């Protein structure tokens, strides 16, 4: 159990999987899900058992589009970052992200779209990076 292995694992969870804690809501009460797509990696699945339940991120890039499936534990919220995407092109469950059930807010941050959601399972479709 060498520290270097733990550091690499932490980087993979936070960067490739995109799972992170919000420092303003410690203990995974509010999660941040913001996977970084690229580097030749076309899919990744990451799960983390929190005190509230399973937090998960599962993404795939194919044919110029990204599908991101997230699992948010009960009694928590999450901010999901869809990179290089707009509200006009993003979908959740096949409908416009701004009108999807469980979506609490949608805001642009530069070239990215940040969607705040409640607990549950969500499937986002967005343009690939």
């Amino acid at each position: 159990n060498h520290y270097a292995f733990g550091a690499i694992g932490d980087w993979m969870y936070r960067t490739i999987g995109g799972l992170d804690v919000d420092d303003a809501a410690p203990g995974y009460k509010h999660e941040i899900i913001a996977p970084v797509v690229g580097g030749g990696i076309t899919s990744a699945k990451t799960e983390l058992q929190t005190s509230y339940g399973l937090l998960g991120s599962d993404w795939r890039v194919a044919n110029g589009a990204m599908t991101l499936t997230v699992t948010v534990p009960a009694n928590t919220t999450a901010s999901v970052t869809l990179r290089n995407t707009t509200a006009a092109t993003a979908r959740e469950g096949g409908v416009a992200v701004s009108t999807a059930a469980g979506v609490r807010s949608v805001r642009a941050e530069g070239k990215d779209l940040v969607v705040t959601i409640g607990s549950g399972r969500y499937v986002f479709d967005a343009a690939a990076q």
Side-chain angles (χ1 to χ4, degrees):
N1 192 13
H2 192 275
Y3 170 76
F5 296 133
I8 293 167
D10 180 65
W11 177 83
M12 292 174 76
Y13 272 85
R14 292 176 192 259
T15 306
I16 298 171
L19 302 181
D20 206 351
V21 66
D22 183 349
D23 291 334
Y28 291 96
K29 184 66 177 169
H30 180 83
E31 300 93 8
I32 297 172
I33 303 172
V36 177
V37 178
I41 299 173
T42 58
S43 66
K45 182 177 181 177
T46 309
E47 294 179 335
L48 178 65
Q49 188 64 44
T50 73
S51 58
Y52 292 98
L54 186 69
L55 171 63
S57 165
D58 183 358
W59 60 264
R60 299 188 184 304
V61 174
N63 301 321
M66 177 178 151
T67 299
L68 171 63
T69 302
V70 299
T71 304
V72 179
N75 300 313
T76 68
T77 58
S79 293
V80 179
T81 299
L82 303 172
R83 301 190 189 278
N84 296 321
T85 304
T86 66
T89 60
R91 301 282 177 262
E92 192 291 310
V95 300
V97 72
S98 59
T99 62
V103 172
R104 297 182 178 194
S105 69
V106 178
R107 72 180 187 281
E109 274 190 17
K111 293 182 178 182
D112 302 334
L113 187 68
V114 179
V115 182
T116 302
I117 55 177
S119 59
R121 183 175 179 273
Y122 300 82
V123 180
F124 295 97
D125 291 304
Q129 289 188 13

